[in-house]
Amino acid sequence: MSVAELPIHFDRDKLAEFCRARGIRKLSLFGSVLRDDFDPARSDVDVLAEFAPGALVGVGWEYFSYGDQLGEIIGRPVDFCSKLNKYVEAEVRREAMPIYEQA
């Protein structure tokens, strides 16, 4: 699947601006948004963020608003994470589709 084939649409420039402003070096989608079981009426979008070293220093509670901010850009509720449970990490990383990578 390519970004153009995703069941969600977003402004790539706004997404890139969001990531640069927060020190996100890679942002990937995973979960139902990449599969046939995605329900446009009910499904959220699972997002994995990889931050540049030191990017989260001093961020504090603001980190917890990143999902809502990203949801405004892509027009869907977002489940935002930067750490994965060790039992699912390998599978998530295998299936993840990058939608932003720092140049």
Side-chain angles (χ1 to χ4, degrees), residues 8-23:
I8 60 171
H9 303 284
F10 51 88
D11 184 320
R12 293 182 73 148
D13 291 333
K14 284 184 182 178
L15 180 77
E17 181 181 318
F18 170 86
C19 291
R20 282 191 303 270
R22 288 154 187 82

Side-chain angles (χ1 to χ4, degrees), residues 17-76:
E17 181 181 318
F18 170 86
C19 291
R20 282 191 303 270
R22 288 154 187 82
I24 297 171
R25 64 179 180 195
K26 184 176 182 180
L27 193 70
S28 301
L29 302 177
F30 67 97
S32 66
V33 73
L34 303 178
R35 301 187 309 255
D36 291 337
D37 61 327
F38 182 78
D39 181 348
R42 294 193 309 241
S43 296
D44 66 2
V45 176
D46 298 310
V47 177
L48 175 62
E50 296 177 33
F51 289 87
L56 292 175
V57 173
V59 170
W61 292 104
E62 186 178 340
Y63 172 87
F64 296 102
S65 69
Y66 288 179
D68 291 337
Q69 294 170 22
L70 186 55
E72 290 177 18
I73 294 169
I74 65 173
R76 306 234 15 108

